Amino acid sequence: MAKIGKAILLIGDGLGDRPVAELGGKTPLEAAETPNLDRIALEGENGLLDPIAPGIPPGSDTGHLALLGYHPYEVYTGRGPFEALGIGMEVRPGDVCFRCNFSTVTDEPARLPEPACSLAGQGPGLVVTDRRAGRISEGTKELAQALNGVVIEGVTCLVKESVEHRAALILRGEGLGHNVTDVDPHEDGKPVLESRGLDERSRKTAQVLNEFVRRSFKVLSAHPVNAKRRELGEPEANILLPRGAGLAPHLKPFSDLHGFAAAFVVEVGLVKGIGRYIGAEVVDAPGATGGHDTDELALARAAAKALERQAFVLCNLKAPDLGGHDRNPSLKIRDIEKLDRLAGELLRLVPEDALIVVTGDHSTPVSVGDHTGDPLPIVFHGPAVRRDGVKAFGERAAGSGGMGRLSGSDLMNLIANFMGAKGKFGA
Ligand code: ZN
Ligand code: ZN
C-alpha cells in the first residue's frame, strides 16, 4: 500500500443547534461569522452526521466513542469508567467504576423518617441530609486519600476526588459484575440504600460496595477535615455514595482498529481519558482551558505539531457546548467563532495534502440547554475530496451536500479511505 496520508478531525463540542427566534430563525452556527469554516465547506464535500443513530442524544463520551469507531451500545455500560478516566484515574478493563458524591448522612434515630430499610448491619439506618455535603469545595482530596486503597474481600477500592462534592470509585478484583443497584437514594431525607447484585457476578460487587460505604462512613466521620467542618457549622462530608456503576470495557487500541496511530489534542478530561484508554498520544496544549476563554490558536498549533508525529489527530474545542448548556445564543456564536479561528489556523499550518474534517460530537441547542439527537453538519476537505455545491458551513447547507447523511460508525472508514489506509475488501 502507498504511504498513508494525514488527517485531522476537528470537533466543535456540542456544535449542532436548532433555529433560534432571536437570530431570525438561524442556528448559532448559521448566524456566526465563520469565513474559514465557510471556505472549508465551499472547497469540500458536506453532509449531515448522526454520531450514534438518528434521534439519539449522545454524551460526550458515547459521541466520541462512536466517531472513533467503537460501538457505544457494545462497549458502554455506564458513566462510571469514563468519569474515572476523566479525572485522570488509571482504569483497567474489568474494573467496576462508579461516580460518587461526598454526602452528609445522620445516624440519629430521631431524624429517621420511618424504620428505614437501610444499609444492613449498621444498627440504626443512615439518612441522607445533604447529597452534596454543602457543595464541599475543600478537603475532598484528603478525604479521598483516607479511603483510597482499602481492600475488601480481596477487592481493591480506589478513590479519587473530582470537582466540589464529586468523586469516582473503582473496584478492582477478579470476576466482578457491574449489575448492581445504587446505594445513593438520589434524594435528601431518604435512607442510604443497600446495593443488590442483579446477577451472579454482581452479587460480590454489591457486597464489597456495601461494606465500602459502611467503612467510608466510619473513616470519614473520624477524619480531621470533618472535625473542622463540625466546628465551622458546615455539613460534614461523612460518607461516599456511589452510583452509576459501569464495567470498564476491553477496547481494541485505536491503532489496531484502524491501522494508524492517533494523537488527541483536547480540553476536557473525559475525552483525554478516552484517548489514553485507546492508546492515543494525549497532548496538553498550553492555554487550553476548556472554557470560553480558551486559547484556540494554541490548540491549533498543538494539533498541527502532533500531526507531524501521528497520521491522525483529533482536536476538540469544548466551548460551543458550554454556550449551548448556558442557553446563550450570543455566547455560543462567540464560541463557534473561536472554532472558526482554530480551523483557519489549521488551514495555515497543516500540509496542503492533509485531510481536514470538521463536525461535532452532538448537538447542544441553546433552546434546550442540553444534548439532543439532531444531526450535525460535517465537512471533508482535502485534495482527494470531491467538491460539492455547498457554499457555507451550517446545519441546513450541509444537508444538501454530496456526503448525504452519515452515521458515526462510517466516519473513520471514510477518513481512512481518504488517507489511503483502507485495504481492499475482496479480490
Ligand atoms: Zn460533547
Ligand atoms: Zn455538554
Side-chain angles (χ1 to χ4, degrees):
M1 205 188 292
K3 200 173 154 283
I4 288 179
K6 302 251 178 187
I8 191 151
L9 172 60
L10 175 58
I11 292 186
D13 209 293
L15 178 66
D17 216 299
R18 293 178 176 175
V20 179
E22 56 191 284
L23 301 177
K26 290 181 175 178
T27 68
L29 175 57
E30 290 166 346
E33 285 289 323
T34 55
N36 297 299
L37 292 171
D38 291 345
R39 181 188 142 195
I40 293 172
L42 179 73
E43 295 174 356
E45 188 169 12
N46 299 263
L48 286 173
L49 174 76
D50 297 295
I52 298 176
I56 303 295
S60 281
D61 42 14
T62 52
H64 278 84
L65 285 169
L67 299 185
L68 292 162
Y70 299 91
H71 203 305
Y73 288 114
E74 281 163 23
V75 302
Y76 194 86
T77 57
R79 274 179 72 164
F82 296 92
E83 202 81 7
L85 282 169
I87 58 172
M89 294 179 88
E90 190 232 325
V91 178
R92 298 183 193 164
D95 286 349
V96 178
C97 311
F98 301 81
R99 316 163 64 197
C100 305
N101 276 7
F102 284 104
S103 305
T104 313
V105 293
T106 177
D107 57 357
E108 289 170 36
R111 303 191 61 171
L112 289 175
E114 61 203 56
C117 56
S118 57
L119 212 55
Q122 275 184 147
L126 299 174
V127 170
V128 178
T129 55
D130 185 344
R131 275 188 78 233
R132 298 179 181 88
R135 289 202 176 266
I136 181 170
S137 58
E138 274 173 36
T140 53
K141 186 174 182 187
E142 291 78 1
L143 296 174
Q145 275 168 359
L147 298 171
N148 187 38
V150 167
V151 178
I152 298 166
E153 296 181 40
V155 174
T156 306
C157 308
L158 302 164
V159 180
K160 191 166 185 243
E161 75 289 352
S162 175
V163 289
E164 291 187 331
H165 52 278
R166 299 179 189 88
L169 165 70
I170 296 176
L171 301 184
R172 181 171 295 159
E174 288 295 303
L176 296 175
H178 70 282
N179 270 319
V180 294
T181 60
D182 280 351
V183 170
D184 182 347
H186 293 262
E187 221 181 304
D188 290 348
K190 292 272 165 70
V192 173
L193 303 170
E194 167 122 25
S195 176
R196 284 174 296 113
L198 302 178
D199 58 40
E200 194 50 52
R201 289 164 73 87
S202 303
R203 276 192 258 285
K204 180 170 177 186
T205 311
Q207 255 174 43
V208 171
L209 190 65
N210 289 327
E211 177 57 26
F212 174 81
V213 172
R214 275 193 282 277
R215 281 209 209 168
S216 79
F217 176 59
K218 227 163 129 182
V219 170
L220 298 183
S221 299
H223 198 281
V225 165
N226 279 321
K228 196 167 156 212
R229 289 181 73 81
R230 268 195 298 277
E231 251 170 56
L232 296 171
E234 289 168 348
E236 288 175 53
N238 58 7
I239 200 164
L240 195 66
L241 293 182
R243 67 182 190 280
L247 186 69
H250 290 266
L251 296 186
K252 234 185 195 185
F254 181 92
S255 53
D256 293 358
L257 192 59
H258 299 297
F260 48 87
F264 277 37
V265 183
V266 300
E267 301 188 280
V268 286
L270 184 62
V271 185
K272 282 184 191 175
I274 290 174
R276 279 193 298 270
Y277 203 67
I278 60 174
E281 180 195 355
V282 177
V283 178
D284 285 312
T289 62
H292 298 294
D293 62 343
T294 196
D295 183 348
E296 68 276 12
L297 298 182
L299 270 169
R301 285 192 295 272
K305 195 98 193 123
L307 198 64
E308 292 173 11
R309 298 187 298 273
Q310 310 288 7
F312 173 78
V313 172
L314 181 147
C315 180
N316 174 303
L317 181 78
K318 177 65 180 170
D321 185 49
L322 303 175
H325 283 290
D326 287 348
R327 297 169 180 257
N328 185 332
S330 51
L331 200 55
K332 186 159 180 186
I333 287 174
R334 282 210 295 279
D335 295 331
I336 288 170
E337 288 172 352
K338 263 183 184 290
L339 182 73
D340 184 70
R341 284 191 292 275
L342 203 172
E345 192 70 356
L346 286 178
L347 280 173
R348 212 171 62 76
L349 294 176
V350 305
E352 254 176 39
D353 60 353
L355 175 75
I356 297 178
V357 181
V358 188
T359 188
D361 56 342
H362 50 78
S363 295
T364 311
V366 291
S367 57
V368 178
D370 207 344
H371 304 186
T372 64
D374 305 61
L376 296 141
I378 183 167
V379 56
F380 294 75
H381 180 275
V385 177
R386 292 187 290 237
R387 188 171 170 161
D388 58 22
V390 173
K391 293 187 175 59
F393 191 56
E395 288 87 345
R396 262 168 286 218
S400 61
M403 278 284 173
R405 190 141 176 173
L406 304 174
S407 161
S409 58
D410 297 327
L411 180 61
M412 284 311 302
N413 287 338
L414 289 164
I415 290 175
N417 176 53
F418 283 129
M419 291 167 73
K422 222 54 199 160
K424 196 189 310 185
F425 176 55

